[in-house]
Amino acid sequence: MPIQTPLPADSPAMQRLLHGTTGIRYGGDYNPEQWPRATWVEDIELMKQAGINLVSVAIFAWGLLEPREGEYDFRQLDDIIDLLHKAGIDVDLATPTAAPPAWFWKKYPDSRPVTRDGITLGNGSRGMVSPSSPDYRRAAAAITEQLARRYANHPALVLWHVHNEYGAPISDSYDDDSVAAFRVWLQNRYGTLDTLNEKWGTTFWGQVYGEWDEIDAPRQSASVTNQAQRLDFHRFTSDALLECYINERDVIRRFTPDIPVTTNFMATNCLSADYWRWSQEVDVVANDHYLVAERADNHVLLALDADLTRSLAGGAPWILMEHSTGAVNWQPRNIAKRPGELARNSLSHLARGADGILFFQFRASRFGVEKFHSAMLPHAGAETRIWREVVALGQSLGSLAPVRSSRVTACVALVWDTESFWAQDFEWRPSAELGHRERIEAFYTVLWNRNVTVDFVHPTSELSGYELVIAPSLYLAGPAASENLTGFVRDGGHLLVSYFSGIVDLNDTVYPGAAPGALREVLGLTIPEFLPLHEAETVTLSDSRTGTAWTDDIEVSTAEVLARYVDGPAVNGPAITRNSFGAGTAWYVSTKLDGDDLDSLLLDVLNTAGIDAARGVTGVEAITRSTDTDDFLFLINHTDAEQAMSATGTELLTNTAVDGTVLVPAGLTRVVHSAR
Ligand code: GLA
């Protein structure tokens, strides 16, 4: 019987994972192999105190579980899993394949990855293997089979955690196995060399290929390398990593067809995994998120990451697999979280659709490269502020059980396309100011400040459920994306496009004719010439807004001009346009707007699309999770003062009735439950 992927949400094992406890799933990575057994016993007592009900084990235990190739030793892991089970703590069992053992590197040195500039990486770390190495895939499948066979019927097992953060810290490898696999991948994609030569534009700089084995990985070269080739190498790498995941998942499925399988994503980190494809292959989406400690708006970026994760999950509940209780150890300045921040961060993820809150890691390591990373239980032990906050969060999550399975809905979507980001990030683009991430964050922040909930979408996703779709930076848009966005507007949708979008097709080839080839029709304009600005140059618009970074020379066909440039290289030309197209409307903004200028533009667009965007209380995040019958309004106060917010129902964290107004203390969260 074919095994279904993903497992149905109402299957008993999925229900057990997400509903099998009295509260929300709570816990973290647990690495007891770094400690003596007496410490495990103490750990488990503390876990019970904190209400922990799920821990991820064995993530980096391959060398202990298989000390020599084909020789296994599960005594320690048996003991740990049994102890956890006796304490009522469930297990998210990892396959330890992110860190192959020393014997593996000695025996299979060709599995070491090679960087783009030709350095073969050594061991003594983790996450470093050629994803195309047959030796690695065979060894990974073998240890996975041993684990799946041994623990298939263990009552503690509720989830499989395959590998750890595929693609981190490096993803693409330029070793011989990767080059050979890349050629096969290209044969499958293009069929003939003639097609490949055409798609890659190899007549440029005389790169025409006559034999498949002339094709190499796009390693560091004398000048800029063929960008279609590089883009395909990103796609190939994402697929190669995904094959590694599927290789292990399918072994697991043979032994535990009903237990959910996942791997931890890094949603907004676009190294070389196209998570829109990956999310189709996991039973539940799991994500790791770490604050950019030094950014004052890092809670907004957290919300963005959580919204993207929910979108990758198709709106279904997801698991926050890792975040931190305090400082990490790998940023330039590892700023500690302030009192209360740990709970605010956790509850923001929960508000945006997470049904599990886990941390890296339970007990802080004393040795190894992460010894200065925070943990649920710090070096200083249980008599600490962090531990007290961990215990308090466990209690809060116990009270929030009714929230499980409820969903967040949005009528605004932001386009997020990893392939477009990869392509835009290559060299020799028209301006160093063209940052897709910068634009997405700018648009997202304006919406966050207005408490407009957004989903993220792929440009070919079903869009009919949205009133407004925004493409802050969609440099690459294939024909399917072009048709989808155009059709969305034709059918009555509202589309807002920012500059340098719709320029190239799936092979990074400029569409024939004037830009923006993929969006010309829907925007009702053409751009004969890009007019990027000098560093720090500003331009003034006829509506008094100020632009930076970029302008276009625009010729409107059917679009009306809402604002013109009053100075700068595009003086007198259109700056912001609106096109009535079919039953809908498409806006184009050709310069970088920020702050109030971007906010007022978005407000116009939101109002036209009929979306309520009245500003609430600045700094109080308001987001609703709903079921058919119930609403859960999360109010997260990021300010230093108590805030009075409108709500009626029952406040779940304090278990008090709310009649019209709820007071949200400074830095705290309130969750008001009401019938719909
Ligand atoms: C990642 C890894 C963890 C740990 C944390 C530290 O998310 O998955 O193993 O290294 O980073 O922040």
Side-chain angles (χ1 to χ4, degrees), residues 410-413 447 450-453 466-470 494 602-614:
C411 56
V412 178
L447 294 161
R450 290 190 169 276
N451 276 319
V452 174
T453 305
Y466 299 103
E467 302 295 335
L468 171 64
V469 172
I470 304 176
H494 299 269
L602 267 169
L603 187 60
D604 288 349
V605 174
L606 288 161
N607 286 340
T608 312
I611 297 161
D612 174 22

PDB file of all heavy atoms in Angstrom, residues 410-413 447 450-453 466-470 494 602-614:
ATOM      1  N   ALA A 410      -5.447  35.380   6.529  1.00  0.00           N
ATOM      2  CA  ALA A 410      -4.953  36.675   6.065  1.00  0.00           C
ATOM      3  C   ALA A 410      -5.610  36.999   4.737  1.00  0.00           C
ATOM      4  O   ALA A 410      -5.899  36.094   3.948  1.00  0.00           O
ATOM      5  CB  ALA A 410      -3.444  36.606   5.884  1.00  0.00           C
ATOM      6  N   CYS A 411      -5.842  38.293   4.496  1.00  0.00           N
ATOM      7  CA  CYS A 411      -6.360  38.660   3.175  1.00  0.00           C
ATOM      8  C   CYS A 411      -5.316  39.399   2.347  1.00  0.00           C
ATOM      9  O   CYS A 411      -5.567  39.805   1.225  1.00  0.00           O
ATOM     10  CB  CYS A 411      -7.662  39.434   3.279  1.00  0.00           C
ATOM     11  SG  CYS A 411      -7.536  40.895   4.281  1.00  0.00           S
ATOM     12  N   VAL A 412      -4.110  39.535   2.921  1.00  0.00           N
ATOM     13  CA  VAL A 412      -3.001  40.137   2.175  1.00  0.00           C
ATOM     14  C   VAL A 412      -1.881  39.102   2.080  1.00  0.00           C
ATOM     15  O   VAL A 412      -1.609  38.396   3.048  1.00  0.00           O
ATOM     16  CB  VAL A 412      -2.465  41.392   2.907  1.00  0.00           C
ATOM     17  CG1 VAL A 412      -1.287  41.996   2.152  1.00  0.00           C
ATOM     18  CG2 VAL A 412      -3.569  42.419   3.091  1.00  0.00           C
ATOM     19  N   ALA A 413      -1.262  39.031   0.905  1.00  0.00           N
ATOM     20  CA  ALA A 413      -0.149  38.095   0.733  1.00  0.00           C
ATOM     21  C   ALA A 413       1.055  38.822   0.154  1.00  0.00           C
ATOM     22  O   ALA A 413       0.917  39.693  -0.708  1.00  0.00           O
ATOM     23  CB  ALA A 413      -0.555  36.956  -0.189  1.00  0.00           C
ATOM     24  N   LEU A 447       3.106  46.775   7.258  1.00  0.00           N
ATOM     25  CA  LEU A 447       1.886  45.989   7.514  1.00  0.00           C
ATOM     26  C   LEU A 447       1.835  45.539   8.973  1.00  0.00           C
ATOM     27  O   LEU A 447       0.777  45.547   9.612  1.00  0.00           O
ATOM     28  CB  LEU A 447       1.832  44.797   6.561  1.00  0.00           C
ATOM     29  CG  LEU A 447       1.665  45.208   5.090  1.00  0.00           C
ATOM     30  CD1 LEU A 447       2.070  44.079   4.153  1.00  0.00           C
ATOM     31  CD2 LEU A 447       0.213  45.624   4.808  1.00  0.00           C
ATOM     32  N   ARG A 450       0.625  48.135  11.281  1.00  0.00           N
ATOM     33  CA  ARG A 450      -0.823  48.338  11.196  1.00  0.00           C
ATOM     34  C   ARG A 450      -1.594  47.075  11.601  1.00  0.00           C
ATOM     35  O   ARG A 450      -2.815  47.000  11.407  1.00  0.00           O
ATOM     36  CB  ARG A 450      -1.219  48.743   9.770  1.00  0.00           C
ATOM     37  CG  ARG A 450      -0.750  50.142   9.415  1.00  0.00           C
ATOM     38  CD  ARG A 450      -1.323  50.662   8.117  1.00  0.00           C
ATOM     39  NE  ARG A 450      -1.022  52.077   7.999  1.00  0.00           N
ATOM     40  CZ  ARG A 450      -1.751  53.058   8.563  1.00  0.00           C
ATOM     41  NH1 ARG A 450      -2.862  52.772   9.217  1.00  0.00           N
ATOM     42  NH2 ARG A 450      -1.392  54.312   8.450  1.00  0.00           N
ATOM     43  N   ASN A 451      -0.871  46.073  12.100  1.00  0.00           N
ATOM     44  CA  ASN A 451      -1.510  44.816  12.497  1.00  0.00           C
ATOM     45  C   ASN A 451      -2.321  44.193  11.369  1.00  0.00           C
ATOM     46  O   ASN A 451      -3.381  43.602  11.598  1.00  0.00           O
ATOM     47  CB  ASN A 451      -2.383  45.005  13.739  1.00  0.00           C
ATOM     48  CG  ASN A 451      -1.547  44.903  15.003  1.00  0.00           C
ATOM     49  OD1 ASN A 451      -0.670  44.050  15.088  1.00  0.00           O
ATOM     50  ND2 ASN A 451      -1.793  45.782  15.956  1.00  0.00           N
ATOM     51  N   VAL A 452      -1.826  44.367  10.136  1.00  0.00           N
ATOM     52  CA  VAL A 452      -2.444  43.658   9.006  1.00  0.00           C
ATOM     53  C   VAL A 452      -1.736  42.308   8.899  1.00  0.00           C
ATOM     54  O   VAL A 452      -0.522  42.253   8.690  1.00  0.00           O
ATOM     55  CB  VAL A 452      -2.270  44.447   7.683  1.00  0.00           C
ATOM     56  CG1 VAL A 452      -2.779  43.637   6.508  1.00  0.00           C
ATOM     57  CG2 VAL A 452      -2.987  45.792   7.784  1.00  0.00           C
ATOM     58  N   THR A 453      -2.475  41.243   9.078  1.00  0.00           N
ATOM     59  CA  THR A 453      -1.874  39.915   9.037  1.00  0.00           C
ATOM     60  C   THR A 453      -1.606  39.522   7.585  1.00  0.00           C
ATOM     61  O   THR A 453      -2.471  39.705   6.725  1.00  0.00           O
ATOM     62  CB  THR A 453      -2.830  38.893   9.674  1.00  0.00           C
ATOM     63  OG1 THR A 453      -3.141  39.356  10.982  1.00  0.00           O
ATOM     64  CG2 THR A 453      -2.214  37.519   9.744  1.00  0.00           C
ATOM     65  N   TYR A 466      -7.106  35.941  -1.555  1.00  0.00           N
ATOM     66  CA  TYR A 466      -6.538  37.203  -1.071  1.00  0.00           C
ATOM     67  C   TYR A 466      -7.175  38.397  -1.766  1.00  0.00           C
ATOM     68  O   TYR A 466      -7.517  38.337  -2.939  1.00  0.00           O
ATOM     69  CB  TYR A 466      -5.019  37.226  -1.300  1.00  0.00           C
ATOM     70  CG  TYR A 466      -4.328  36.111  -0.552  1.00  0.00           C
ATOM     71  CD1 TYR A 466      -3.896  34.965  -1.217  1.00  0.00           C
ATOM     72  CD2 TYR A 466      -4.157  36.180   0.820  1.00  0.00           C
ATOM     73  CE1 TYR A 466      -3.288  33.918  -0.525  1.00  0.00           C
ATOM     74  CE2 TYR A 466      -3.555  35.145   1.527  1.00  0.00           C
ATOM     75  CZ  TYR A 466      -3.127  34.019   0.844  1.00  0.00           C
ATOM     76  OH  TYR A 466      -2.538  32.997   1.549  1.00  0.00           O
ATOM     77  N   GLU A 467      -7.304  39.497  -1.010  1.00  0.00           N
ATOM     78  CA  GLU A 467      -7.766  40.757  -1.608  1.00  0.00           C
ATOM     79  C   GLU A 467      -6.597  41.470  -2.278  1.00  0.00           C
ATOM     80  O   GLU A 467      -6.764  42.121  -3.299  1.00  0.00           O
ATOM     81  CB  GLU A 467      -8.329  41.694  -0.523  1.00  0.00           C
ATOM     82  CG  GLU A 467      -9.475  41.132   0.289  1.00  0.00           C
ATOM     83  CD  GLU A 467     -10.696  40.906  -0.561  1.00  0.00           C
ATOM     84  OE1 GLU A 467     -10.840  41.584  -1.589  1.00  0.00           O
ATOM     85  OE2 GLU A 467     -11.500  40.020  -0.206  1.00  0.00           O
ATOM     86  N   LEU A 468      -5.433  41.385  -1.619  1.00  0.00           N
ATOM     87  CA  LEU A 468      -4.266  42.145  -2.072  1.00  0.00           C
ATOM     88  C   LEU A 468      -3.035  41.245  -2.068  1.00  0.00           C
ATOM     89  O   LEU A 468      -2.773  40.553  -1.080  1.00  0.00           O
ATOM     90  CB  LEU A 468      -4.028  43.335  -1.118  1.00  0.00           C
ATOM     91  CG  LEU A 468      -2.731  44.122  -1.291  1.00  0.00           C
ATOM     92  CD1 LEU A 468      -2.665  44.812  -2.649  1.00  0.00           C
ATOM     93  CD2 LEU A 468      -2.585  45.168  -0.168  1.00  0.00           C
ATOM     94  N   VAL A 469      -2.302  41.280  -3.186  1.00  0.00           N
ATOM     95  CA  VAL A 469      -1.017  40.578  -3.265  1.00  0.00           C
ATOM     96  C   VAL A 469       0.055  41.628  -3.540  1.00  0.00           C
ATOM     97  O   VAL A 469      -0.131  42.502  -4.394  1.00  0.00           O
ATOM     98  CB  VAL A 469      -1.039  39.507  -4.383  1.00  0.00           C
ATOM     99  CG1 VAL A 469       0.355  38.921  -4.594  1.00  0.00           C
ATOM    100  CG2 VAL A 469      -2.034  38.403  -4.040  1.00  0.00           C
ATOM    101  N   ILE A 470       1.158  41.534  -2.782  1.00  0.00           N
ATOM    102  CA  ILE A 470       2.238  42.510  -2.937  1.00  0.00           C
ATOM    103  C   ILE A 470       3.508  41.770  -3.364  1.00  0.00           C
ATOM    104  O   ILE A 470       3.884  40.769  -2.752  1.00  0.00           O
ATOM    105  CB  ILE A 470       2.504  43.264  -1.612  1.00  0.00           C
ATOM    106  CG1 ILE A 470       1.211  43.919  -1.111  1.00  0.00           C
ATOM    107  CG2 ILE A 470       3.598  44.303  -1.794  1.00  0.00           C
ATOM    108  CD1 ILE A 470       1.345  44.599   0.245  1.00  0.00           C
ATOM    109  N   HIS A 494      -6.186  42.840  -6.256  1.00  0.00           N
ATOM    110  CA  HIS A 494      -5.357  44.044  -6.221  1.00  0.00           C
ATOM    111  C   HIS A 494      -3.904  43.596  -6.096  1.00  0.00           C
ATOM    112  O   HIS A 494      -3.590  42.758  -5.247  1.00  0.00           O
ATOM    113  CB  HIS A 494      -5.740  44.923  -5.027  1.00  0.00           C
ATOM    114  CG  HIS A 494      -7.163  45.387  -5.099  1.00  0.00           C
ATOM    115  ND1 HIS A 494      -7.529  46.566  -5.702  1.00  0.00           N
ATOM    116  CD2 HIS A 494      -8.303  44.797  -4.687  1.00  0.00           C
ATOM    117  CE1 HIS A 494      -8.845  46.694  -5.640  1.00  0.00           C
ATOM    118  NE2 HIS A 494      -9.342  45.633  -5.021  1.00  0.00           N
ATOM    119  N   LEU A 602       0.821  52.361   1.067  1.00  0.00           N
ATOM    120  CA  LEU A 602       0.156  51.088   1.379  1.00  0.00           C
ATOM    121  C   LEU A 602      -1.247  51.314   1.914  1.00  0.00           C
ATOM    122  O   LEU A 602      -2.168  50.544   1.619  1.00  0.00           O
ATOM    123  CB  LEU A 602       0.987  50.297   2.381  1.00  0.00           C
ATOM    124  CG  LEU A 602       1.954  49.323   1.721  1.00  0.00           C
ATOM    125  CD1 LEU A 602       2.933  48.764   2.715  1.00  0.00           C
ATOM    126  CD2 LEU A 602       1.180  48.184   1.065  1.00  0.00           C
ATOM    127  N   LEU A 603      -1.397  52.385   2.692  1.00  0.00           N
ATOM    128  CA  LEU A 603      -2.728  52.668   3.230  1.00  0.00           C
ATOM    129  C   LEU A 603      -3.716  52.927   2.078  1.00  0.00           C
ATOM    130  O   LEU A 603      -4.834  52.412   2.090  1.00  0.00           O
ATOM    131  CB  LEU A 603      -2.678  53.859   4.185  1.00  0.00           C
ATOM    132  CG  LEU A 603      -3.975  54.126   4.930  1.00  0.00           C
ATOM    133  CD1 LEU A 603      -4.382  52.914   5.776  1.00  0.00           C
ATOM    134  CD2 LEU A 603      -3.842  55.358   5.822  1.00  0.00           C
ATOM    135  N   ASP A 604      -3.286  53.698   1.080  1.00  0.00           N
ATOM    136  CA  ASP A 604      -4.151  53.931  -0.094  1.00  0.00           C
ATOM    137  C   ASP A 604      -4.535  52.607  -0.749  1.00  0.00           C
ATOM    138  O   ASP A 604      -5.688  52.368  -1.093  1.00  0.00           O
ATOM    139  CB  ASP A 604      -3.413  54.770  -1.163  1.00  0.00           C
ATOM    140  CG  ASP A 604      -3.262  56.219  -0.735  1.00  0.00           C
ATOM    141  OD1 ASP A 604      -3.904  56.612   0.259  1.00  0.00           O
ATOM    142  OD2 ASP A 604      -2.476  56.939  -1.392  1.00  0.00           O
ATOM    143  N   VAL A 605      -3.527  51.765  -0.922  1.00  0.00           N
ATOM    144  CA  VAL A 605      -3.765  50.493  -1.616  1.00  0.00           C
ATOM    145  C   VAL A 605      -4.684  49.599  -0.766  1.00  0.00           C
ATOM    146  O   VAL A 605      -5.641  49.000  -1.278  1.00  0.00           O
ATOM    147  CB  VAL A 605      -2.422  49.789  -1.920  1.00  0.00           C
ATOM    148  CG1 VAL A 605      -2.650  48.410  -2.506  1.00  0.00           C
ATOM    149  CG2 VAL A 605      -1.585  50.645  -2.877  1.00  0.00           C
ATOM    150  N   LEU A 606      -4.418  49.548   0.536  1.00  0.00           N
ATOM    151  CA  LEU A 606      -5.252  48.719   1.433  1.00  0.00           C
ATOM    152  C   LEU A 606      -6.696  49.220   1.426  1.00  0.00           C
ATOM    153  O   LEU A 606      -7.640  48.427   1.350  1.00  0.00           O
ATOM    154  CB  LEU A 606      -4.694  48.756   2.859  1.00  0.00           C
ATOM    155  CG  LEU A 606      -3.382  47.999   3.097  1.00  0.00           C
ATOM    156  CD1 LEU A 606      -2.699  48.482   4.368  1.00  0.00           C
ATOM    157  CD2 LEU A 606      -3.628  46.494   3.172  1.00  0.00           C
ATOM    158  N   ASN A 607      -6.857  50.533   1.485  1.00  0.00           N
ATOM    159  CA  ASN A 607      -8.215  51.092   1.481  1.00  0.00           C
ATOM    160  C   ASN A 607      -8.940  50.751   0.187  1.00  0.00           C
ATOM    161  O   ASN A 607     -10.104  50.352   0.206  1.00  0.00           O
ATOM    162  CB  ASN A 607      -8.179  52.613   1.663  1.00  0.00           C
ATOM    163  CG  ASN A 607      -7.856  52.974   3.101  1.00  0.00           C
ATOM    164  OD1 ASN A 607      -8.019  52.147   4.007  1.00  0.00           O
ATOM    165  ND2 ASN A 607      -7.390  54.189   3.328  1.00  0.00           N
ATOM    166  N   THR A 608      -8.240  50.891  -0.927  1.00  0.00           N
ATOM    167  CA  THR A 608      -8.869  50.573  -2.215  1.00  0.00           C
ATOM    168  C   THR A 608      -9.274  49.100  -2.263  1.00  0.00           C
ATOM    169  O   THR A 608     -10.288  48.741  -2.845  1.00  0.00           O
ATOM    170  CB  THR A 608      -7.904  50.881  -3.380  1.00  0.00           C
ATOM    171  OG1 THR A 608      -7.369  52.178  -3.183  1.00  0.00           O
ATOM    172  CG2 THR A 608      -8.591  50.802  -4.717  1.00  0.00           C
ATOM    173  N   ALA A 609      -8.444  48.266  -1.639  1.00  0.00           N
ATOM    174  CA  ALA A 609      -8.754  46.828  -1.639  1.00  0.00           C
ATOM    175  C   ALA A 609      -9.791  46.480  -0.573  1.00  0.00           C
ATOM    176  O   ALA A 609     -10.152  45.306  -0.408  1.00  0.00           O
ATOM    177  CB  ALA A 609      -7.469  46.035  -1.403  1.00  0.00           C
ATOM    178  N   GLY A 610     -10.263  47.478   0.158  1.00  0.00           N
ATOM    179  CA  GLY A 610     -11.322  47.246   1.149  1.00  0.00           C
ATOM    180  C   GLY A 610     -10.830  46.575   2.414  1.00  0.00           C
ATOM    181  O   GLY A 610     -11.590  45.885   3.103  1.00  0.00           O
ATOM    182  N   ILE A 611      -9.544  46.765   2.743  1.00  0.00           N
ATOM    183  CA  ILE A 611      -8.983  46.100   3.927  1.00  0.00           C
ATOM    184  C   ILE A 611      -8.867  47.107   5.072  1.00  0.00           C
ATOM    185  O   ILE A 611      -8.326  48.197   4.893  1.00  0.00           O
ATOM    186  CB  ILE A 611      -7.595  45.521   3.596  1.00  0.00           C
ATOM    187  CG1 ILE A 611      -7.745  44.451   2.509  1.00  0.00           C
ATOM    188  CG2 ILE A 611      -6.918  44.952   4.832  1.00  0.00           C
ATOM    189  CD1 ILE A 611      -6.470  44.131   1.790  1.00  0.00           C
ATOM    190  N   ASP A 612      -9.360  46.705   6.237  1.00  0.00           N
ATOM    191  CA  ASP A 612      -9.304  47.580   7.408  1.00  0.00           C
ATOM    192  C   ASP A 612      -7.859  47.644   7.910  1.00  0.00           C
ATOM    193  O   ASP A 612      -7.289  46.626   8.293  1.00  0.00           O
ATOM    194  CB  ASP A 612     -10.221  47.020   8.501  1.00  0.00           C
ATOM    195  CG  ASP A 612     -10.083  47.823   9.786  1.00  0.00           C
ATOM    196  OD1 ASP A 612      -9.641  48.984   9.701  1.00  0.00           O
ATOM    197  OD2 ASP A 612     -10.412  47.279  10.857  1.00  0.00           O
ATOM    198  N   ALA A 613      -7.285  48.830   7.875  1.00  0.00           N
ATOM    199  CA  ALA A 613      -5.886  48.955   8.294  1.00  0.00           C
ATOM    200  C   ALA A 613      -5.716  50.111   9.256  1.00  0.00           C
ATOM    201  O   ALA A 613      -4.669  50.737   9.305  1.00  0.00           O
ATOM    202  CB  ALA A 613      -5.006  49.147   7.067  1.00  0.00           C
ATOM    203  N   ALA A 614      -6.772  50.375  10.038  1.00  0.00           N
ATOM    204  CA  ALA A 614      -6.673  51.463  11.017  1.00  0.00           C
ATOM    205  C   ALA A 614      -5.568  51.105  11.998  1.00  0.00           C
ATOM    206  O   ALA A 614      -5.478  49.960  12.451  1.00  0.00           O
ATOM    207  CB  ALA A 614      -7.996  51.606  11.743  1.00  0.00           C
TER     208      ALA A 614
END
